[in-house]
Amino acid sequence: MEGVGFEPEKAFDGNNMTRWASREGTDPEWIYVDLGTVRQVTGVKLKWEDAFAKQYKIQVSTEASNPGQWTDVYTASNGDGGIDEITLSPKSARYVRMYGIERGTPYGYSLYEFEVTGPSAP
């Protein structure tokens, strides 16, 4: 994490003025959300700050506590920042992760918001 004020929960607070930021200058970096129970996930929306991912994966896990085994459900190979709206075929997941492989800038990775969409718990 970049420092105080850029904690992971800032990417899930519904406030476009706050953000999560990874450590600067390192790959890979990642952030994940715990949905509380296994749900059917149908999409992800990433609102990038200027420090975006050029290459990243969206991964899911159904582990009961603390994800261990991740499954790739989307791969971006030429990200350009801004807003990425990703539609997925329904996937069962308790945890959803953005796994940054390659930074698009010399800095780190930074998200204003990381939204997960899908119906309620099955």
Side-chain angles (χ1 to χ4, degrees), residues 80-93:
D80 59 2
I83 297 175
D84 291 341
E85 294 190 60
I86 301 159
T87 301
L88 305 170
S89 58
K91 302 291 181 195
S92 295

Side-chain angles (χ1 to χ4, degrees), residues 94-115:
R94 175 172 174 169
Y95 302 95
V96 181
R97 173 165 84 166
M98 185 291 298
Y99 184 84
I101 300 166
E102 180 184 350
R103 292 164 285 120
T105 70
Y107 304 103
Y109 299 90
S110 186
L111 289 167
Y112 286 115
E113 289 297 310
F114 180 159
E115 301 174 18

